[in-house]
């Protein structure tokens, strides 16, 4: 008899056919279920505790999936969907994850009915195209004024922890920050920074015209506020220079010792004199500053920061226009930058440097406050999402009705178009519509309303008025016009959710063999 041929190691594990498909679908559905209850304005939070005991409390889908210890390769694909959604548009991660789970669940039913996965993949691809048509048709013709952008920001934060202040106020701050840099050259998002700091109520959150860095003066005698400041950035140490070759010097007299000390002191004093003569008011030094140099700089009225982080130094350079210097030799005016003011402010035991009004680049910072670290962390995530969606609305295709209205429009359009498709692919297209319907149904369920009754009412109102959403009200919800309630979302968030969820689902469905090493 012919001996069997083994091409896999004994430690390999192989799952094939329907068993592999069932395993992948089950993993995808499990991940979607983990974040489903966080969707919408009444979504619940998750507490995530890692192996070291660190706790994260959030309802942000991307954060939840990143913090979960997921091993299954198909489930990791959904995590990648959330990461992609977060990176591209900054919001809609939970929507994308839930949609993947629903698409997989509907595909599982179709496979049970002997429909080949390739047919399902083709149907889902066609349905995604139809979904994008519905999204484009739902884009509002209205101008993106401050009120509409504030509604976009508020919608993204609704349901997230905002401390003692309503999302409305924070949304106004986000719009203020975006408008401050909208006309500047370059990417809007790169010019908006978020700096969290615990120790005060969320209502103390403010917009700073400039950047904030975690730095404190190198010497207590230095000024704590400098107006109309000329700035230098140095990537070298300010201490006695040492040669590259090991050498010893023999000093045999007091005069020789005094001369050596005076030479060393003159070198250190020269650093401060060079900066002062160049008109420098503030120095950001990436390296260590000798204690004596710190004293001379303080005597000269120069505010200096030492051991500044590379990212902070780069940001200061970008905002002020200062060049990062490797030496103070041949220091020229063109090497320096300028800002309206730099001030040192104390928050608890820490001090922060507020750099306002840089000449080279417009930049703003949302200085986010919260009573505890957990509160400020969640508020930082909410503000990041809000900034991202406002920028997405301005840069990429406007806004669409929120509260599930766009999803109802997608499902209706896809379902209507499926009637013109022949063959089994029609069933996959209809399944796609059913999967999209699950999103507003989940919104209703999370607000305490009956999901089935709400879905029926949504379809009826959409057929009559062309727009219908789930409006949260108190402990329950009602069906109404989301625009009247000020609930809008960027069209880019919907497009990205549909595209990324469809791609991940089709990739999982096409797998019929899983080979893993133990």
């Amino acid at each position: 008899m012919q001996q069997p041929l083994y091409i896999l190691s004994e430690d390999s594990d192989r799952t094939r056919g329907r068993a592999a498909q069932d395993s992948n679908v089950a993993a995808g559905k499990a991940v979607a279920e983990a974040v489903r209850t966080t969707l919408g304005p009444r979504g619940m939070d998750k507490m995530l505790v890692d192996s070291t005991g660190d706790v994260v409390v959030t309802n942000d889908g991307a954060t939840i999936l990143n913090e979960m210890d997921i091993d299954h390769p198909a489930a990791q694909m959904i995590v990648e969907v959330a990461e992609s959604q977060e990176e591209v548009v900054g919001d809609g991660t939970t929507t994308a994850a839930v949609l993947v789970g629903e698409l997989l669940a509907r595909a599982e039913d179709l496979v049970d009915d002997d429909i080949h996965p390739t047919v399902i993949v083709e149907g889902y691809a066609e349905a995604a195209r139809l979904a994008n048509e519905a999204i484009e048709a739902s884009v509002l013709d209205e101008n993106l004024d401050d009120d509409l952008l504030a509604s976009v920001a508020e919608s993204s934060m609704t349901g997230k922890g905002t401390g003692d202040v309503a999302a409305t106020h924070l949304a106004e701050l986000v719009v203020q920050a975006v408008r401050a840099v909208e006309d500047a050259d370059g990417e809007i998002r790169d010019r908006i920074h978020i700096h969290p700091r615990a120790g005060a109520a969320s209502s103390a959150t403010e917009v700073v015209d400039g950047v904030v860095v975690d730095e404190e003066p190198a010497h207590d005698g230095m000024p704590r506020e400098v107006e109309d400041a000329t700035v230098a950035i140095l990537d070298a140490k300010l201490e006695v220079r040492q040669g590259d070759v090991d050498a010893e010097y023999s000093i045999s007299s007091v005069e020789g010792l005094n001369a050596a000390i005076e030479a060393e002191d003159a070198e250190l004093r020269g650093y401060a004199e060079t900066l002062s003569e160049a008109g420098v008011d503030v120095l950001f030094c990436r390296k260590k500053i000798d204690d004596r140099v710190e004293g001379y700089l303080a005597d000269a009225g120069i505010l200096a920061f030492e051991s500044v982080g590379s990212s902070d130094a780069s940001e200061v350079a970008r905002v002020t226009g200062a060049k990062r210097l490797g030496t103070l030799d041949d220091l020229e005016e063109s090497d320096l930058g300028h800002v309206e003011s730099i001030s040192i402010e104390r928050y608890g035991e820490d001090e922060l440097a507020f750099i306002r009004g840089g000449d080279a680049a417009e930049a703003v910072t949302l200085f986010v406050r919260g009573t505890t670290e957990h509160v400020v962390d969640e508020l930082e995530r909410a503000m990041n999402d809000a900034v991202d969606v406002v920028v997405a609305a301005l840069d990429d295709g406007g806004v669409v009705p929120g509260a599930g209205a766009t999803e109802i429009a997608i499902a209706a359009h896809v379902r209507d178009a499926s009637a013109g498709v022949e063959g089994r692919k029609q069933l996959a297209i209809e399944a796609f519509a059913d999967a999209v319907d699950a999103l507003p149904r989940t919104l209703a369920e999370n607000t305490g309303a009956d999901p089935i009754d709400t879905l029926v009412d949504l379809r009826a109102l959409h057929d009559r008025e062309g727009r219908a959403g789930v409006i949260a009200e108190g402990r329950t919800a009602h069906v109404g016009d989301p625009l009247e309630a000020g609930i809008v979302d960027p069209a880019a968030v919907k497009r990205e959710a549909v595209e990324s969820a469809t791609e991940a689902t089709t990739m999982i469905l096409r797998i019929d063999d899983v080979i893993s090493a133990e």
Side-chain angles (χ1 to χ4, degrees):
M1 294 180 62
Q2 185 177 0
Q3 293 296 319
L5 175 65
Y6 295 100
I7 61 173
L8 299 176
S9 69
E10 295 180 357
D11 294 332
S12 296
D13 183 31
R14 185 176 187 181
T15 306
R16 290 181 288 181
R18 186 59 190 272
Q21 293 170 342
D22 288 345
S23 174
N24 290 336
V25 169
K29 289 163 59 179
V31 171
E33 285 298 322
V35 297
R36 181 185 295 275
T37 59
T38 68
L39 185 67
R42 296 292 183 268
M44 302 298 288
D45 292 348
K46 304 292 183 183
M47 177 180 286
L48 307 167
V49 185
D50 65 15
S51 58
T52 63
D54 290 338
V55 177
V56 175
V57 179
T58 182
N59 75 350
D60 180 73
T63 303
I64 294 169
L65 295 177
N66 282 331
E67 293 289 336
M68 290 172 63
D69 188 14
I70 296 175
D71 289 331
H72 197 286
Q76 288 176 348
M77 291 182 185
I78 301 182
V79 176
E80 291 174 1
V81 168
E83 291 174 347
S84 174
Q85 182 85 14
E86 183 77 8
E87 182 178 349
V88 175
V89 291
D91 197 19
T93 54
T94 302
T95 297
V98 172
L99 183 55
V100 173
E102 290 295 330
L103 290 172
L104 288 172
R106 299 302 187 281
E108 186 177 34
D109 294 337
L110 293 175
V111 171
D112 288 339
D113 293 334
D114 293 330
I115 297 178
H116 196 276
T118 301
V119 176
I120 301 173
V121 167
E122 292 173 354
Y124 278 3
E126 176 64 16
R129 185 188 65 79
L130 294 169
N132 278 317
E133 289 182 358
I135 294 170
E136 295 305 320
S138 300
V139 174
L140 304 180
D141 294 331
E142 302 177 34
N143 293 327
L144 294 177
D145 58 16
D146 288 358
D147 291 339
L148 190 56
L149 290 178
S151 296
V152 172
E154 185 177 353
S155 296
S156 74
M157 288 190 286
T158 302
K160 295 183 171 67
T162 56
D164 71 328
V165 64
T168 303
H169 173 66
L170 298 177
E172 292 172 353
L173 294 180
V174 169
V175 174
Q176 178 185 338
V178 171
R179 291 301 194 193
V181 298
E182 183 181 11
D183 296 329
D185 295 332
E187 295 290 334
I188 296 176
R189 189 62 181 90
D190 292 342
R191 299 179 181 277
I192 302 174
H193 307 276
I194 296 179
H195 193 103
R197 177 63 53 168
S202 304
S203 54
T205 298
E206 61 177 314
V207 178
V208 177
D209 179 23
V211 296
V212 180
V213 295
D214 283 301
E215 301 294 343
E216 58 185 33
H219 190 280
D220 291 339
M222 291 176 176
R224 298 185 63 81
E225 183 171 2
V226 181
E227 301 286 341
D228 192 23
T230 299
V231 178
I233 303 174
L234 182 64
D235 284 338
K237 297 179 181 179
L238 288 183
E239 58 184 17
V240 176
R241 285 175 290 185
Q242 299 180 359
D244 296 332
V245 179
D246 290 337
E248 294 183 0
Y249 298 90
S250 176
I251 299 176
S252 58
S253 65
V254 174
E255 291 78 6
L257 177 60
N258 289 336
I261 293 174
E262 289 175 2
E264 184 178 280
D265 192 65
E267 180 185 352
L268 299 177
R269 188 187 298 273
Y271 295 139
E273 292 175 349
T274 298
L275 291 166
S276 180
E277 291 171 0
V280 173
D281 300 306
V282 182
L283 170 67
F284 290 87
C285 185
R286 286 271 293 112
K287 306 294 184 179
K288 184 77 173 63
I289 301 178
D290 188 278
D291 292 344
R292 286 170 289 177
V293 178
E294 291 176 0
Y296 295 140
L297 291 171
D299 292 341
I302 297 175
L303 171 60
F305 304 92
E306 66 174 343
S307 302
V308 176
S310 180
S311 60
D312 285 342
S314 296
E315 188 57 37
V316 172
R318 192 172 73 87
V319 171
T320 65
K323 298 178 182 178
R324 293 180 61 166
L325 306 173
T327 176
L328 292 182
D329 297 339
D330 302 322
L331 184 61
E332 299 179 356
E333 184 178 352
S334 60
D335 297 326
L336 308 178
H338 183 267
V339 292
E340 292 179 4
S341 70
I342 296 181
S343 59
I344 309 301
E345 299 181 21
R346 177 172 289 278
Y347 293 88
E349 298 181 355
D350 300 324
E351 289 185 325
L352 302 177
F354 285 72
I355 305 167
R356 294 180 169 91
D359 276 2
E362 295 182 17
V364 295
T365 298
L366 285 160
F367 189 52
V368 177
R369 307 305 311 278
T371 51
T372 68
E373 291 294 341
H374 291 309
V375 171
V376 79
D377 286 347
E378 180 68 351
L379 188 55
E380 180 187 7
R381 286 187 284 267
M383 296 291 275
N384 266 309
D385 287 350
V387 171
D388 287 338
V389 296
V390 170
V391 172
L394 287 171
D395 287 349
D396 195 9
V399 298
V400 294
T406 301
E407 285 78 4
I408 289 294
I410 291 172
H413 180 65
V414 171
R415 198 172 279 115
D416 289 344
S418 68
V421 178
E422 297 181 355
R424 295 188 174 191
K425 190 165 70 171
Q426 180 189 91
L427 299 177
I429 296 176
E430 291 176 350
F432 187 100
D434 293 338
V436 175
D437 268 341
L439 293 169
R441 193 173 68 241
T442 301
L443 285 176
E445 187 175 357
N446 289 349
T447 58
D450 183 273
I452 303 301
D453 291 344
T454 301
L455 185 59
V456 172
D457 293 341
L458 284 168
R459 290 175 175 175
L461 183 60
H462 174 79
D463 290 341
R464 292 196 310 270
E465 306 293 340
R467 191 161 52 226
V470 182
I471 314 299
E473 189 176 64
R475 295 184 179 180
T476 184
H478 70 275
V479 173
D481 187 343
L483 295 188
E484 294 180 0
I487 306 174
V488 289
D489 297 320
V493 170
K494 304 300 184 183
R495 284 195 295 267
E496 182 64 25
V498 167
E499 291 172 5
S500 59
T502 304
E503 289 176 0
T505 301
T506 55
M507 183 176 294
I508 292 173
L509 289 177
R510 292 178 65 89
I511 298 171
D512 72 343
D513 203 344
V514 178
I515 303 170
S516 58
E518 294 293 337

